[in-house]
Amino acid sequence: MPIYNSNNAGGFMGPEPRYVGTHDVTNPIAEMTYNKTLGTNTRLLSNIYTEITPTFLKGLKYRFDYGYDYILANASTWIPIYELPINGNRGHNYNELTESSSRNRRWNITNTLTYNTSFGTAEEGASKPHNLLVMVGQEAMADDGKTFSATGLKFSDENYNVLDMADSGRYPKGSVSSYRLYSYLFRGMYDYKGKYLLTINVRNDVSSKFGPKNRSGWFPSFSLGWKFNEDFLQDYKDKITMAKVRVGWGQTGNDNIRNYAYAAFFDPPDHARYPLGIGQVNNYGMQLYSSFENPYVKWEATTMTNFGLDVSLFENKIQFTGEYYIKTQDGMLVQNPMPIAAGRLPVANPWVNLGKIQNKGFEFNVLYRKQEGDFNYSVNLNLTTIRNKVLDLPAGSLLNTIG
């Protein structure tokens, strides 16, 4: 099929039935030539921190972190008049300009206060047997976005492609979004002579993606460890560098859904226009839901329980890790399909907490590493098994589809 035809507006040839039949195909070179977008992006990234170590209490430290990320994007799309005749479904019989701009600002602040100390009666030549670290903290994160675009149609002079010169159109569109996440943290770590280990974590997360009554979620965790080689395997310390058993339990939260998922929103009025009367003038009709509300949607919680064994041999040349884990996801965040009669696409479906899934299995990892002069090499082998089971799925949920 020929690419160019100087007799057509724009100078390109359209699809011919002898080559493409009656299919709605196009001339790809014409589309690439005339549908172009030029854009600029400006980004500012910054991070600062400070640490303060007071002299009145040994082991106390305060740290402040601040991060800022600003993105400004501008784009311009100009489409001139061009023809792709014969099966002329792909031509453009009017010119068009779209100007768009978006701004996004993210920042995060972290404040932590850490106290690290050792106490107890030390044996000769050894450090104090009890070691304690306590940390409390606060985090805040914000993500704000704003977009704006306008489209103008039918420019009498294509050399003046600015929106003020459009004979019709100038359709403006815009959107705003905002997200906040506040967290409060606690961590306590204790060990006795470095061989009996205890870690406790508690965090409270507050997300703006959920309704006022469900924004807060508490997620605790703990772990216990015992380096038993220091009690039973001292006769083999030249071969067994470390041997530890451990058990852990903990919860994490998930708020990975769209902003304002708990609330209902409407489409703009011009999304429901109907040509009526003499001249077929567009009249605005009813406003349709762009998303359905669920004020009860809340944090999804994942609970992990694990039992592990860690062994290091020959000064860490060989390392082995084995673990049995049980991972349970409860109140999973999913979009529940609405009946087809609702007349909306799946993107409008409400977010809900549904179901309970459990994964469990074993994980094994073996690492061998060695240094020969200036040459280092390592070999790593791992094996994972997983068994998945649906523990709960309410009857009738997630069964409707849109065809």
Side-chain angles (χ1 to χ4, degrees):
M1 184 181 78
I3 297 174
Y4 302 101
N5 187 337
S6 58
N7 295 321
N8 295 332
F12 287 94
M13 186 66 182
E16 295 188 36
R18 57 177 171 166
Y19 297 115
V20 300
T22 59
H23 299 290
D24 181 20
V25 296
T26 187
N27 182 334
I29 296 180
E31 300 283 2
M32 288 188 294
T33 300
Y34 288 124
N35 291 271
K36 288 184 177 180
T37 299
L38 300 178
T40 60
N41 288 279
T42 304
R43 186 171 190 178
L44 172 65
L45 279 169
S46 64
N47 283 280
I48 60 172
Y49 79 92
T50 184
E51 289 186 347
I52 300 175
T53 305
T55 57
F56 61 83
L57 183 58
K58 184 180 179 181
L60 185 65
K61 181 175 70 174
Y62 167 76
R63 180 181 174 106
F64 168 81
D65 291 88
Y66 177 76
Y68 186 80
D69 185 3
Y70 180 80
I71 301 174
L72 174 63
N74 295 294
S76 177
T77 301
W78 169 253
I79 305 176
I81 296 172
Y82 62 91
E83 295 176 337
L84 297 177
I86 309 298
N87 291 348
N89 298 326
R90 292 285 184 172
H92 209 262
N93 57 9
Y94 58 88
N95 43 32
E96 176 180 342
L97 174 67
T98 299
E99 301 276 4
S100 62
S101 177
S102 66
R103 290 178 291 171
N104 188 260
R105 183 190 65 167
R106 300 184 183 97
W107 57 259
N108 62 277
I109 295 175
T110 304
N111 293 281
T112 57
L113 190 64
T114 305
Y115 179 61
N116 195 351
T117 187
S118 299
F119 56 93
T121 303
E123 299 177 359
E124 185 177 352
S127 58
K128 294 180 180 181
H130 301 277
N131 301 291
L132 177 66
L133 183 147
V134 177
M135 184 274 290
V136 293
Q138 170 268 337
E139 292 180 335
M141 189 273 285
D143 190 338
D144 297 311
K146 186 175 184 179
T147 66
F148 175 80
S149 68
T151 298
L153 309 176
K154 299 180 180 179
F155 294 77
S156 57
D157 189 337
E158 292 195 349
N159 293 315
Y160 295 96
N161 50 356
V162 293
L163 288 174
D164 275 352
M165 300 301 294
D167 292 335
S168 63
R170 300 193 188 93
Y171 301 114
K173 294 181 180 179
S175 67
V176 293
S177 65
S178 183
Y179 171 53
R180 296 291 186 273
L181 180 66
Y182 303 104
S183 303
Y184 303 93
L185 318 171
F186 169 82
R187 171 174 293 176
M189 300 177 66
Y190 168 79
D191 73 79
Y192 177 70
K193 292 185 177 181
K195 57 183 179 180
Y196 305 110
L197 314 170
L198 170 65
T199 301
I200 297 175
N201 293 287
V202 180
R203 67 179 295 144
N204 173 226
D205 293 315
V206 182
S207 173
S208 65
K209 292 185 178 181
F210 304 113
K213 295 182 179 180
N214 297 297
R215 286 177 177 165
S216 178
W218 289 89
F219 307 104
S221 66
F222 78 89
S223 65
L224 293 168
W226 174 30
K227 294 183 180 179
F228 61 90
N229 62 299
E230 299 188 16
D231 289 327
F232 297 111
L233 302 173
Q234 286 298 301
D235 293 340
Y236 304 96
K237 61 182 180 180
D238 58 328
K239 299 180 178 64
I240 302 176
T241 308
M242 188 276 293
K244 179 177 71 174
V245 291
R246 52 185 169 81
V247 59
W249 178 92
Q251 289 186 324
T252 57
N254 173 30
D255 71 339
N256 189 23
I257 57 177
R258 58 177 168 78
N259 293 333
Y260 319 112
Y262 63 92
F265 288 89
F266 293 98
D267 278 336
D270 63 348
H271 283 202
R273 292 179 295 175
Y274 303 91
L276 300 173
I278 299 174
Q280 294 291 285
V281 177
N282 279 327
N283 293 271
Y284 294 127
M286 63 179 180
Q287 284 187 262
L288 303 174
Y289 278 114
S290 61
S291 64
F292 293 98
E293 67 179 332
N294 177 15
Y296 304 105
V297 65
K298 59 183 181 179
W299 285 88
E300 173 187 319
T302 298
T303 303
M304 175 76 84
T305 304
N306 59 295
F307 305 89
L309 171 66
D310 303 323
V311 178
S312 296
L313 306 174
F314 307 109
E315 298 181 345
N316 296 320
K317 289 182 180 178
I318 300 176
Q319 297 181 18
F320 168 82
T321 298
E323 182 176 292
Y324 176 70
Y325 67 91
I326 304 171
K327 179 182 178 182
T328 304
Q329 293 174 260
D330 193 10
M332 295 180 297
L333 289 169
V334 295
Q335 285 185 276
N336 194 28
M338 297 293 289
I340 297 176
R344 297 275 72 189
L345 294 174
V347 70
N349 292 332
W351 284 92
V352 296
N353 298 94
L354 281 181
K356 189 174 183 179
I357 290 180
Q358 184 182 85
N359 297 300
K360 58 184 178 180
F362 293 91
E363 290 185 351
F364 300 100
N365 187 77
V366 178
L367 173 66
Y368 175 76
R369 56 187 178 187
K370 192 174 182 181
Q371 180 173 350
E372 299 284 355
D374 294 332
F375 179 69
N376 295 282
Y377 66 93
S378 64
V379 179
N380 191 39
L381 301 175
N382 58 73
L383 171 67
T384 301
T385 68
I386 184 171
R387 181 183 180 186
N388 180 273
K389 185 177 182 180
V390 178
L391 301 180
D392 177 55
L393 184 63
S397 299
L398 306 176
L399 298 180
N400 297 319
T401 59
I402 295 180

